[in-house]
Amino acid sequence: MAKKNQTLGEFIIENQSEFKYSSGELSRLINSIRLAAKVVNHEVNKAGLVDILGAAGDTNIQGEDQQKLDVYANNAFIKTLTNREIVCGIASEEEDDFITIRGRNEKNDNKYVVLIDPLDGSSNIDVNVSVGTIFSVYRRVTPSGTPVTIDDFLQPGNRQVAAGYIVYGTSTMIVYSTGHGVNGFTLNPAIGTYYLSHPNMRFPEDGNIYSVNEGNYVHFPQGVKDYIKYCQQEEDNRPYTARYIGSLVSDFHRNMIKGGIYIYPNTSKDPKGKLRLLYECNPMAYIAEQAGGSASDGTTRILDIDPTELHQRVPFFCGSKNMVKKAEEFMQKA
Ligand SMILES: O=P(O)(O)OC[C@H]1O[C@](O)(COP(=O)(O)O)[C@@H](O)[C@@H]1O
Ligand SMILES: [Mg+2]
Ligand SMILES: [Mg+2]
């Protein structure tokens, strides 16, 4: 049973046996993410003082200008996971292709692959608005000891064994699940320890917050336009409140605590949407469902989508169960 203010380290050890394949490997993996998150948090917190603001000068495979903090966070997570010899492969928003991790003597019998969005909400880095990191963990499908292949990464979200995010905001938190509910841990920066501050997090079934970039309204599908009109009507407990931080992790986190829906639909500009299935939508959908919420692409459950590409994009509707259901009804009707 999760005890409030338990440290993350204690929680990981205590709950290890809950995990079907428990061999300590997944615990060590979560511990590595905890460590890398502290390294990144340290840099984020003094972003204005050190040369970490602004663009790094390169573009990633998505055609986006990489920010210096994107690159820093990417290196921090890859280095930590590689050095601790805890995974056999890593895929990242900031890497064109997946990385094969070769352990000692070129043999790697680690069982897990990790997919990460090292820095989520990059457009907010330079303006001191909260950003995050998102991670997703799978057991490999190829034989242990052999180099990973793309098949180890292109698995549907319902096969995740763990997922979570770090939010670097007014406080720094790790929120994750290994399939037994969602727990949130807050970092005490003075001593560098995470404490269980939000045990058993649950999405309220209903909410009154909607998060969507209405600046793209004219490009939205009719169903989304109709749903936004519905949110703005004077009726029942509406109009809802519009809140959009522009960092998926932060918008999701607020909506999970208060009740709400986040929508990044396909648009006439981006027919497949903007967010990436493997390291943004799958892990957030996993957390949402573990917390009693739901996530779809407007019709199909996100976790049931069979991935075909490492950086593929999907429309994303995620949050309080009844709000997502209502938005899907508008998408079907349109
Ligand atoms: O500026 P827009 O088009 O509203 O997009 C904001 C969305 O894009 C993202 O920044 C994409 O993530 P990255 O910053 O990791 O590329 C989300 O965090 C956010 O919700
Ligand atoms: Mg992102
Ligand atoms: Mg990112």
Side-chain angles (χ1 to χ4, degrees):
M1 176 53 198
K3 287 189 286 304
K4 190 98 195 251
N5 296 329
Q6 185 178 25
T7 69
L8 176 53
E10 290 161 347
F11 181 89
I12 290 172
I13 292 162
E14 213 170 272
N15 293 282
Q16 186 171 291
S17 57
E18 261 183 359
F19 185 62
K20 194 162 79 182
Y21 308 101
S22 86
S23 63
E25 224 175 297
L26 186 65
S27 302
R28 287 196 298 124
L29 198 162
I30 304 285
N31 269 320
S32 310
I33 289 174
R34 165 174 70 141
L35 178 65
K38 272 201 256 184
V39 173
V40 173
N41 179 60
H42 190 64
E43 214 60 21
V44 168
N45 282 348
K46 57 184 168 113
L49 302 174
V50 290
D51 180 26
I52 200 82
L53 294 180
D58 296 323
T59 54
N60 62 20
I61 191 165
Q62 341 264 336
E64 295 162 345
D65 292 333
Q66 286 182 318
Q67 303 302 301
K68 287 180 186 164
L69 207 53
D70 284 324
V71 176
Y72 181 89
N74 188 48
N75 294 340
F77 278 92
I78 291 174
K79 204 160 144 237
T80 308
L81 290 166
T82 307
N83 292 353
R84 296 171 74 97
E85 296 203 354
I86 192 60
V87 292
C88 52
I90 300 172
S92 163
E93 176 191 2
E94 305 307 334
E95 300 286 336
D96 295 5
D97 205 349
F98 63 85
I99 302 167
T100 301
I101 309 294
R102 299 185 188 285
R104 292 197 191 110
N105 60 35
E106 291 296 300
K107 231 167 119 323
N108 187 332
D109 43 25
N110 287 316
K111 296 192 269 309
Y112 299 111
V113 295
V114 172
L115 301 98
I116 49 169
D117 175 355
L119 205 286
D120 178 62
S122 309
S123 64
N124 282 326
I125 297 169
D126 292 2
V127 291
N128 202 358
V129 171
S130 72
V131 292
T133 292
I134 309 174
F135 65 91
S136 167
V137 182
Y138 292 86
R139 279 175 75 80
R140 63 181 305 168
V141 291
T142 51
S144 176
T146 64
V148 286
T149 72
I150 190 69
D151 299 339
D152 294 306
F153 297 92
L154 297 185
Q155 302 188 51
N158 54 39
R159 291 182 58 98
Q160 289 174 101
V161 293
Y165 59 85
I166 296 110
V167 56
Y168 312 100
T170 41
S171 65
T172 293
M173 285 185 70
I174 290 187
V175 174
Y176 80 102
S177 177
T178 57
H180 304 276
V182 177
N183 292 283
F185 301 80
T186 301
L187 178 67
N188 176 336
I191 49 178
T193 301
Y194 292 91
Y195 290 90
L196 181 58
S197 52
H198 296 65
N200 195 23
M201 299 181 83
R202 300 292 297 170
F203 252 109
E205 296 222 335
D206 281 295
N208 67 352
I209 294 171
Y210 68 104
S211 311
V212 61
N213 183 344
E214 290 189 65
N216 296 328
Y217 185 86
V218 291
H219 302 291
F220 284 164
Q222 192 54 45
V224 173
K225 290 179 178 172
D226 297 342
Y227 180 67
I228 292 173
K229 287 287 157 256
Y230 168 85
C231 293
Q232 296 168 344
Q233 268 161 6
E234 296 273 352
E235 210 173 282
D236 300 338
N237 66 336
R238 285 169 283 132
Y240 296 152
T241 298
R243 286 280 182 277
Y244 190 72
I245 296 169
S247 296
L248 165 64
V249 163
S250 314
D251 282 310
F252 177 99
H253 189 73
R254 182 213 40 250
N255 291 349
M256 179 157 69
I257 291 172
K258 297 206 165 191
I261 184 171
Y262 170 98
I263 301 176
Y264 208 108
N266 50 308
T267 63
S268 46
K269 285 187 300 180
D270 300 316
K272 293 200 176 131
K274 174 182 181 178
L275 300 181
R276 285 50 62 118
L277 174 62
L278 289 179
Y279 42 78
E280 289 176 318
C281 302
N282 269 338
M284 301 312 273
Y286 185 82
I287 296 287
E289 291 199 7
Q290 281 289 319
S294 73
S296 78
D297 63 1
T299 45
T300 307
R301 180 183 177 229
I302 289 288
L303 298 181
D304 292 340
I305 296 175
D306 275 322
T308 52
E309 293 159 42
L310 210 50
H311 301 285
Q312 78 184 78
R313 302 171 191 260
V314 290
F316 195 49
F317 296 70
C318 181
S320 293
K321 192 181 279 184
N322 296 336
M323 297 181 84
V324 173
K325 195 156 161 277
K326 179 59 85 176
E328 289 168 348
E329 283 165 14
F330 278 99
M331 288 299 283
Q332 262 103 55
K333 256 189 279 175

